[in-house]
């Protein structure tokens, strides 16, 4: 039984959820130390995004203070079941168009409002089969349907296939650790950020300003469909007044990770051990063999990559596989 599901006071369980790494930044703009949450959507929010959520109405987003408001057991259970920002964003942002930029902590109100309305009210980035009509729904029924549909999307039974629907087999949690000796794209430096793409999904890190050796330590989530290919990784230099410049790319072969994980089943049944390997070769971006391990009951893989199609640059990642039944 997980820590969060053991009997404890409601506020304690909520604060434990907030303290998890994925939830220490606003789900919509990435601002640190969020103190608000949407109880029915299941995400933690900063004060600025919280104001936009309130304007949507409680039938779409019921905003509560983590510390000041009273929470019902049902609201806390729904937040914990969804799992927080990364799990919810893997659904609500699954189909963000290529090149679309999320608002940042310093974005203006109009940019923030457009994104949040598109994400939750108009559900533009949501998997089409999960979209909910909220016009005349009661708050309680909408709360239940949103939470249930998100969780069901992670737990889709592979035997229940529908034509045109994408079935997911698990999640990738990719922690972008740091870059080394990245390429210069401005006068003396660059403002790098990383973009990950799998199928129609795109996730990106924050921009690190004026740094050729950036440290992100940022976790990104991608849903893995039954028919998957490699994860495409690209590094860009952020430019304010022109198109962002490419700073290298690489492809991540996730087949060894998933095959190894599925061969062993529940990783919590095993002690720490090596279970697989992605081998370095002339046709991939690995700097060295990438070992797949079970560590503390989790399937993880460290990757050290040399960026391709660029004069210089290396990237370090930590990848974790999450099966749908975990």
């Amino acid at each position: 039984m997980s820590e969060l599901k053991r009997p404890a006071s409601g506020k304690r369980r909520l604060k434990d959820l907030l303290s998890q790494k994925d939830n220490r930044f606003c789900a919509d703009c990435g601002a640190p130390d969020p103190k608000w949450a949407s109880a029915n959507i299941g995400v933690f929010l900063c004060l600025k995004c919280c104001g936009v959520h309130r304007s949507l109405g409680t039938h779409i987003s019921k905003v509560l203070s983590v510390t000041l408001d009273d929470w019902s057991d049902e609201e806390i259970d729904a937040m914990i079941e969804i799992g927080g920002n990364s799990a919810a964003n893997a659904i609500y942002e699954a189909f963000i168009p290529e090149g679309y930029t999320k608002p940042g902590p310093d974005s203006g109100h109009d940019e923030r409002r457009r994104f949040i309305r598109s994400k939750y009210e108009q559900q533009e980035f949501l998997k089409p089969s999960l979209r909910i009509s909220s016009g005349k729904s009661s708050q309680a029924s909408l709360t239940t349907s949103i939470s249930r549909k998100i969780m069901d999307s992670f737990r889709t039974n592979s035997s229940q296939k529908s034509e045109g629907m994408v079935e997911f087999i698990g999640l990738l949690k990719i922690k972008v650790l740091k870059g080394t000796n990245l390429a210069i794209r401005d006068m003396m430096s660059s403002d790098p950020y990383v973009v990950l793409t799998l199928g129609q999904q795109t996730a990106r890190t924050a921009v690190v300003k004026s740094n050729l050796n950036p440290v992100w330590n940022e976790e990104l989530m991608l849903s893995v469909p039954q028919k998957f290919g490699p994860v495409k990784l690209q590094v860009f230099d952020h430019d304010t007044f022109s198109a962002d410049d490419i700073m290298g790319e690489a492809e991540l072969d996730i087949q060894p990770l998933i095959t190894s994980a599925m061969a062993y089943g529940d990783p919590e049944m095993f002690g720490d051990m090596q279970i697989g390997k992605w081998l370095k070769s002339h046709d991939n971006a690995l700097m060295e063999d990438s070992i797949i391990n079970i560590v503390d009951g989790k399937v993880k893989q460290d990757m050290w990559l040399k960026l391709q199609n660029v004069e210089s640059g290396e990237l370090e990642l930590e990848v974790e596989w999450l099966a749908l039944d975990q």
Side-chain angles (χ1 to χ4, degrees):
M1 180 180 292
S2 71
E3 293 273 339
L4 293 174
K5 291 186 179 179
R6 292 176 182 161
S9 71
K11 281 297 180 71
R12 171 62 184 275
R13 295 165 66 213
L14 192 62
K15 288 182 179 179
D16 286 345
L17 180 63
L18 178 60
S19 69
Q20 293 181 2
K21 290 182 179 179
D22 297 345
N23 301 324
R24 294 176 186 171
F25 299 88
C26 175
D28 294 334
C29 76
D33 198 25
K35 297 297 187 185
W36 299 82
S38 173
N40 55 335
I41 293 173
V43 293
F44 291 98
L45 306 165
C46 69
L47 181 61
K48 293 179 180 178
C49 289
C50 154
V52 179
H53 274 253
R54 285 189 184 280
S55 71
L56 301 178
T58 56
H59 62 291
I60 294 176
S61 181
K62 183 180 180 182
V63 178
L64 294 173
S65 167
V66 175
T67 56
L68 302 177
D69 288 324
D70 292 326
W71 289 65
S72 69
D73 290 339
E74 291 77 13
E75 289 165 342
I76 293 174
D77 288 342
M79 290 285 296
I80 291 172
E81 184 183 18
I82 291 168
N85 293 351
S86 289
N89 279 350
I91 298 300
Y92 278 102
E93 298 180 3
F95 290 92
I96 287 184
E98 184 175 355
Y100 189 102
T101 303
K102 287 179 60 173
D106 298 324
S107 295
H109 177 76
D110 288 344
E111 180 183 356
R112 200 181 299 263
R113 178 177 57 82
R114 283 194 300 270
F115 173 74
I116 291 172
R117 288 193 63 196
S118 296
K119 180 176 175 180
Y120 301 109
E121 184 178 31
Q122 297 160 7
Q123 301 170 3
E124 292 180 5
F125 316 133
L126 197 67
K127 180 179 175 181
S129 62
L130 297 177
R131 289 174 184 164
I132 306 163
S133 176
S134 60
K136 295 185 179 180
S137 298
S138 70
Q139 174 187 322
S141 65
L142 183 61
T143 299
T144 302
S145 61
I146 287 177
S147 299
R148 186 170 295 153
K149 284 201 171 207
I150 290 178
M151 295 312 299
D152 286 349
S153 73
F154 288 111
R155 299 171 180 164
T156 304
N157 189 317
S158 60
S159 66
Q160 298 175 335
K161 295 181 180 179
S162 300
E163 185 177 354
M165 289 180 62
V166 177
E167 304 294 344
F168 294 104
I169 60 173
L171 297 171
L172 286 177
K173 182 188 290 186
I174 301 177
K175 187 172 185 178
V176 182
L177 299 174
K178 64 179 182 178
T180 304
N181 193 30
L182 299 185
I184 296 174
R185 288 293 179 267
D186 297 326
M187 291 294 294
M188 299 291 291
S189 187
S190 295
D191 302 327
Y193 65 93
V194 177
V195 176
L196 300 175
T197 304
L198 179 61
Q200 299 297 315
Q201 304 168 76
T202 299
R204 56 167 284 176
T205 67
V207 174
V208 178
K209 295 184 178 180
S210 301
N211 199 325
L212 300 180
N213 298 285
V215 176
W216 284 283
N217 285 326
E218 187 171 343
E219 290 182 348
L220 305 175
M221 295 277 280
L222 295 169
S223 301
V224 180
Q226 287 182 334
K227 296 181 180 180
F228 61 86
V231 174
K232 184 177 182 180
L233 179 151
Q234 295 172 295
V235 182
F236 289 94
D237 169 50
H238 176 71
D239 287 317
T240 303
F241 301 109
S242 61
D244 292 352
D245 299 316
I246 188 75
M247 297 175 63
E249 57 191 356
E251 285 194 345
L252 315 182
D253 183 0
I254 58 175
Q255 183 72 61
L257 173 66
I258 296 173
T259 300
S260 299
M262 289 185 168
Y264 278 81
D266 184 358
E268 294 185 355
M269 301 293 292
F270 300 91
D272 293 358
M273 60 188 295
Q274 179 180 331
I275 62 172
K277 184 185 295 186
W278 177 26
L279 296 174
K280 175 187 176 184
S281 72
H282 68 277
D283 58 357
N284 65 39
L286 288 177
M287 298 283 290
E288 61 184 18
D289 291 349
S290 177
I291 307 301
I292 302 163
N293 294 304
I294 293 178
V295 182
D296 297 330
K298 299 176 181 179
V299 178
K300 294 188 175 184
Q301 180 178 10
D302 293 329
M303 297 183 183
W304 182 19
L305 306 170
K306 182 174 180 61
L307 296 174
Q308 308 293 294
N309 303 318
V310 69
E311 56 269 29
S312 65
E314 301 169 11
L315 215 63
E316 293 182 39
L317 310 174
E318 180 185 88
V319 183
E320 180 180 346
W321 169 252
L322 302 170
L324 289 186
D325 56 357
Q326 286 183 240

